[in-house]
């Protein structure tokens, strides 16, 4: 059975025309959705909560088809946070069963962003303790690579339905430079016109977001270079071991501080740091893959 509905909304000439117009501008590579409003939709339509969630998954299937048609390469959806386990047992079981039957994309289950960031920080601390990385290796970039989404690009556009104007602990780190679109529609009522409006909002904000990203990358590169240079100087300055009371080198003429030597040491240091980081991330991913392999087979059948 196909995920996609037999009736294709975008097949009308109006939708084909609108899609063609939007494709003349930048299209987000990665879109994240907070699919909010299933329970309110069910209540409004005198349904059980489970039926509201089923309508929500049907809407996700339709939305994925729109994304595919528009050229959006990656989608992440917030289907179930850790806080959702406080709901009734029947509702939780229903959501889990729907996920087992339907979910085969980026779906955040049993997730909060604060827990994700804390886990990443613990992984870094353990890496330092085990000697896999140095304390000076810890940076924003390395922390980002310890997040659960380390194999995905950051979302360009984040859409939340239901009229709520908050992120609800979803992709807090990753959405720093995302365009946010908060829509006054319950998720099962989300239409292709809402999708078009969100992408148009993204296109209007595109230039400013790109400028902010470039400036952030420039600052991160600068900080990384300064940190590497500082580490090299700490290892190099006064290797003779003779310092005065101000901790300055007493024999600077004897210390190997010429520019060529420093450049060579810096290049070697950066190469060694990157190798440590790659090996650390590889071990981390292997650990997480092993964890999932142990957990998933018993549930997904």
């Amino acid at each position: 059975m196909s995920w996609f509905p037999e009736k294709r909304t975008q097949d009308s000439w109006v939708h084909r025309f609108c899609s063609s117009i939007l494709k003349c501008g930048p299209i987000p590579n990665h879109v994240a959705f907070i699919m909010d409003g299933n329970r309110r939709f069910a209540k409004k339509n005198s349904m059980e909560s489970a039926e509201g969630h089923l309508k929500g998954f049907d809407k996700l299937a339709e939305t994925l088809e729109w994304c595919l048609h528009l050229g959006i390469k990656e989608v992440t959806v917030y289907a179930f946070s850790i806080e959702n386990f406080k709901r009734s047992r029947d509702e939780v079981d229903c959501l889990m069963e729907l996920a087992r039957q339907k979910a085969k994309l980026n779906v955040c289950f049993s997730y909060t962003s604060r827990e994700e960031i804390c886990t990443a920080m613990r992984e870094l601390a353990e890496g330092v303790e085990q000697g896999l990385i140095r304390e000076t290796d810890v940076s924003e970039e390395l922390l980002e690579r310890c997040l659960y989404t380390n194999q995905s690009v950051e979302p360009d556009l984040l859409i939340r339905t239901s009229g709520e104007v908050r992120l609800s602990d979803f992709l807090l780190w990753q959405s720093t430079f995302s365009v946010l679109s908060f829509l006054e529609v319950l998720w099962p009522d989300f239409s292709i016109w809402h999708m078009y409006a969100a992408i148009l909002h993204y296109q209007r904000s595109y230039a400013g977001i790109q400028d902010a990203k470039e400036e952030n990358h420039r600052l991160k590169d600068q900080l990384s270079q300064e940190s590497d240079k500082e580490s090299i100087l700490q290892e190099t300055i006064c290797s003779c071991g003779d310092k005065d009371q101000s901790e300055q080198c007493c024999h600077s003429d004897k210390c190997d501080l010429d520019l060529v030597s420093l450049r060579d040491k810096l290049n070697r240091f950066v190469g060694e740091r990157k190798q440590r980081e790659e090996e650390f991330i590889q071990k981390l991913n292997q650990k997480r893959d092993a964890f999932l392999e142990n957990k998933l087979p018993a549930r997904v059948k």
Side-chain angles (χ1 to χ4, degrees):
M1 178 178 175
S2 172
W3 250 74
F4 296 145
E6 294 182 4
K7 183 180 178 181
R8 296 171 178 268
T9 305
Q10 77 276 3
D11 281 348
S12 73
W13 72 267
V14 176
H15 293 100
R16 290 198 301 270
F17 175 77
C18 292
S19 296
S20 298
I21 294 297
L22 284 174
K23 288 179 181 179
C24 292
I27 295 295
N29 288 314
H30 183 184
V31 177
F33 291 93
I34 301 178
M35 306 182 298
D36 194 17
N38 291 340
R39 289 199 294 173
R40 275 174 277 178
F41 175 85
K43 184 176 181 180
K44 184 179 74 171
N45 291 278
S46 302
M47 301 174 177
E48 296 292 331
S49 294
E51 189 174 356
H53 290 305
L54 180 59
K55 293 291 185 183
F57 271 93
D58 289 341
K59 179 57 61 176
L60 174 58
E62 191 175 13
T63 302
L64 290 176
E65 185 180 18
W66 302 337
C67 291
L68 182 65
H69 182 73
L70 287 165
I72 295 167
K73 299 175 182 177
E74 185 172 0
V75 173
T76 298
V77 296
Y78 198 15
F80 205 78
S81 77
I82 291 174
E83 296 298 316
N84 289 141
F85 280 104
K86 297 178 181 178
R87 296 182 180 181
S88 69
R89 179 62 181 270
D90 289 343
E91 188 173 358
V92 171
D93 289 345
C94 172
L95 281 167
M96 293 296 103
E97 183 59 29
L98 284 171
R100 282 192 283 270
Q101 292 177 9
K102 305 232 180 190
K104 291 185 179 179
L105 60 145
N106 293 346
V107 183
C108 295
F109 271 96
S110 187
Y111 168 91
T112 66
S113 191
R114 287 175 295 179
E115 188 274 338
E116 176 187 31
I117 294 170
C118 288
T119 298
M121 293 174 64
R122 285 195 296 269
E123 297 289 1
L124 288 171
E126 290 179 9
V128 173
E129 184 178 354
Q130 295 170 6
L132 299 174
I133 54 175
R134 298 181 182 178
E135 186 175 342
T136 54
D137 295 338
V138 177
S139 64
E140 284 188 27
E141 183 179 3
L142 188 56
L143 190 148
E144 287 176 356
R145 299 185 67 187
C146 293
L147 299 176
Y148 300 144
T149 57
N150 63 3
Q151 299 184 45
S152 297
V153 296
E154 295 177 349
D156 302 298
L157 172 64
L158 190 153
I159 299 172
R160 177 170 187 156
T161 56
S162 84
E164 296 289 345
V165 185
R166 52 195 174 89
L167 295 179
S168 296
D169 215 352
F170 178 55
L171 300 182
L172 298 180
W173 184 288
Q174 298 89 333
S175 62
T176 302
F177 296 102
S178 301
V179 175
L180 306 180
S181 180
F182 298 103
L183 302 175
E184 294 277 351
V185 59
L186 301 178
W187 173 248
D189 289 326
F190 183 72
S191 73
I192 196 169
W193 296 109
H194 295 108
M195 189 75 193
Y196 290 158
I199 293 178
L200 184 60
H201 174 53
Y202 166 78
Q203 292 178 342
R204 288 173 174 170
S205 308
Y206 181 79
I209 291 293
Q210 291 303 114
D211 289 343
K213 282 184 177 180
E214 290 175 5
E215 178 64 14
N216 181 63
H217 289 157
R218 186 188 67 79
L219 290 175
K220 286 171 68 173
D221 288 342
Q222 180 180 335
L223 289 174
S224 179
Q225 292 173 11
E226 291 176 354
S227 176
D228 289 338
K229 289 178 182 178
E230 180 65 24
S231 297
I232 287 296
L233 288 174
Q234 291 296 327
E235 293 180 1
T236 305
I237 290 180
C238 202
S239 57
C240 60
D242 192 1
K243 296 182 181 180
D244 61 18
Q245 293 181 350
S246 64
E247 295 296 313
Q248 298 299 313
C249 179
C250 298
H251 305 287
S252 58
D253 58 326
K254 298 180 181 179
C255 290
D256 189 13
L257 295 177
D258 62 274
L259 293 178
V260 175
S261 177
L262 280 177
R263 190 179 299 114
D264 290 342
K265 289 184 177 182
L266 180 60
N267 290 336
R268 185 168 60 252
F269 179 86
V270 171
E272 292 172 351
R273 172 174 59 77
K274 289 184 177 180
Q275 183 177 355
R276 287 194 300 271
E277 292 175 357
E278 290 301 325
E279 292 175 354
F280 167 69
I281 294 298
Q282 185 178 13
K283 288 181 181 295
L284 174 60
N285 288 334
Q286 289 173 349
K287 181 173 75 172
R288 289 178 174 174
D289 288 344
F291 173 81
L292 289 175
E293 287 177 3
N294 289 333
K295 294 294 182 181
L296 292 180
R299 292 180 174 272
V300 183
K301 295 182 179 179

